[in-house]
Amino acid sequence: MNDWNRESARLSGSAPASLLVRLKRLAANYREAARRAGGPTVAPVVKANAYSLGLTPVARALSQAGADNFFVARVDEGIALRVVLPDARIFVLDGLAPGAAPALIAHRLIPVLNAMDEVAEWSARGKGEKRKLEAALQIDTGMNRSGIPYWEVAQIAAEARTLLSDIDVVLTLSHLACADEPDHAMNRTQLERFRSCLARLPLSRASFAASAGIELGKDFLFDMVRPGLALCGGNPVPSRANPYANVATLTGRVLQIRRIEPGETVGYGGAFTAKRPTVLAIAAIGYADGLIRARGASGAAAIAGIRVPFAGRISMDLVALDATDVPGQALGPGAEVEFLGETITLEEVAKAAGTITHEVLTSISPRAARFYSEE
């Protein structure tokens, strides 16, 4: 155990569930995304408290690595990020949420406008300002979630002289629905629609690719890419090898060791039945800390690098593990258990929980104490 991990262990003694974030690896992932993009600006997406890793330390590390454009989802996230990075360009994906305009202006945040009425409102706001208000336009090219429908772009183009006269459109973007499936026909369909829209609109920088989109090739890269998951160490294209380094390690600590005989059951519903004399490690971590409950049916953790399956259902604050194959010297109250990290990968956790890697990260609750390593 190196000095950092010893210190983390000492600090987290009163916090049984801990999330260790390796900031050097985060910065390395930023540089890898930039290398793979090959030229476009890399604008990190740090919404949802930087995917639960911690907005302030993550944003600072990425800024030190060279990032000066960032995306958040909510206006309050943008306000928090502005405190951390007073000079960064910060885009708010929610755009003009009801009542958000004054805060956007006061904190120099750039709304991503997602509807014609938002464009009109922001333009009207701009009339009272000394200089044009910056904005981004999001074009919905097939996601059917947020953004101006691509068939409405003709209207914007026709009314651009008046509709956009008090707005400085600094970016036009769209979002891919199937980028994690490189061969999906929808990718090319959306690309064609996006190019058609760009040709109609006033010239601005363009952005299409998030983490997975970077892997689709130069046609999808444009002027800016917007990685989020990749920076956190997630694999953007599950069918390919992961080019990014693991950043987050979620651990818990053993509270007690129990021994049960064959035929005895464990936990709610008696979901686990011992088939042999079994050693149980009871760890002080549960779904209130971010373990997805569905993971209990087929998931695993690791003690001293040895994989240990879950023994029954995950509880709110506790989980039982079948630690029969772990050497006795590695067990005991206080022993560290890895639930996500070097041995138990983000992709493995998502598969066991029947979900996606994004949810695994953002489900980690504030109750899990955060620690940061410069390694």
Side-chain angles (χ1 to χ4, degrees):
M1 182 183 288
N2 60 35
D3 290 342
W4 167 261
N5 286 330
R6 287 194 185 93
E7 182 65 2
S8 290
R10 184 186 71 80
L11 289 171
S12 62
S14 61
S18 301
L19 180 69
L20 174 63
V21 180
R22 293 176 171 85
L23 298 177
K24 187 174 181 180
R25 294 187 187 181
L26 178 82
N29 286 343
Y30 171 83
R31 291 189 292 271
E32 176 63 15
R35 186 189 72 80
R36 300 178 80 80
T41 298
V42 177
V45 179
V46 291
K47 60 186 179 179
N49 194 27
Y51 288 63
S52 288
L53 302 188
L55 178 65
T56 295
V58 165
R60 283 178 175 158
L62 291 170
S63 176
Q64 291 168 4
D68 55 8
N69 288 261
F70 291 83
F71 282 82
V72 296
R74 310 280 191 252
V75 68
D76 60 325
E77 295 172 345
I79 293 170
L81 183 56
R82 176 59 70 211
V83 174
V84 180
L85 300 177
D87 299 321
R89 175 170 276 180
I90 301 170
F91 295 89
V92 179
L93 291 164
D94 274 1
L96 287 187
L104 290 164
I105 295 171
H107 296 278
R108 296 177 288 114
L109 306 174
I110 304 172
V112 176
L113 304 178
N114 294 302
M116 291 290 289
D117 58 348
E118 290 188 7
V119 176
E121 180 183 347
W122 197 240
S123 180
R125 292 274 181 178
K127 293 183 186 303
E129 298 296 318
K130 293 181 179 179
R131 61 179 184 179
K132 291 183 178 182
L133 294 176
E134 291 186 327
L137 296 179
Q138 178 160 212
I139 309 302
D140 181 2
T141 55
M143 188 82 163
N144 285 314
R145 185 181 62 175
S146 60
I148 301 164
Y150 67 93
W151 58 83
E152 290 186 2
V153 167
Q155 180 182 346
I156 295 178
E159 302 176 17
R161 286 191 176 182
T162 55
L163 193 58
L164 303 179
S165 61
D166 295 293
I167 299 176
D168 182 8
V169 178
V170 297
L171 185 70
T172 304
L173 67 147
S174 189
H175 193 64
L176 288 154
C178 304
D180 58 346
E181 300 177 59
D183 297 326
H184 201 292
M186 189 65 178
N187 295 323
R188 281 286 164 184
T189 297
Q190 287 191 258
L191 177 61
E192 291 168 6
R193 290 172 178 171
F194 189 47
R195 283 175 169 166
S196 176
C197 291
L198 291 175
R200 290 173 173 265
L201 292 169
L203 184 64
S204 75
R205 302 179 76 200
S207 178
F208 199 26
S211 293
I214 294 172
E215 306 304 311
L216 296 180
K218 63 181 181 179
D219 287 350
F220 291 81
L221 300 178
F222 294 90
D223 304 298
M224 178 187 286
V225 295
R226 314 184 305 271
L229 176 70
L231 303 183
C232 301
N235 188 355
V237 181
S239 62
R240 300 177 181 175
N242 189 358
Y244 297 100
N246 172 60
V247 169
T249 298
L250 178 66
T251 58
R253 298 208 168 270
V254 173
L255 279 180
Q256 60 175 283
I257 302 298
R258 304 176 67 91
R259 290 170 173 80
I260 61 174
E261 296 301 317
E264 292 192 65
T265 63
V266 179
Y268 288 115
F272 175 88
T273 301
K275 294 181 173 57
R276 59 177 177 170
T278 300
V279 177
L280 296 175
I282 310 300
I285 185 172
Y287 57 76
D289 302 289
L291 296 187
I292 298 174
R293 189 170 181 268
R295 180 181 169 190
S298 60
I303 299 175
I306 300 170
R307 298 172 64 84
V308 290
F310 290 104
R313 296 175 183 169
I314 296 170
S315 301
M316 183 182 293
D317 311 298
L318 301 170
V319 63
L321 304 162
D322 182 348
T324 308
D325 298 327
V326 178
Q329 64 269 23
L331 285 176
E336 186 175 78
V337 185
E338 178 194 307
F339 292 88
L340 167 67
E342 302 300 298
T343 304
I344 309 298
T345 69
L346 186 56
E347 288 70 34
E348 178 185 345
V349 172
K351 183 177 180 180
T355 187
I356 58 174
T357 50
H358 305 67
E359 185 179 8
V360 171
L361 288 173
T362 58
S363 293
I364 300 172
S365 82
R367 192 168 78 165
R370 269 64 170 169
F371 300 94
Y372 298 89
S373 166
E374 297 298 332
E375 292 181 352

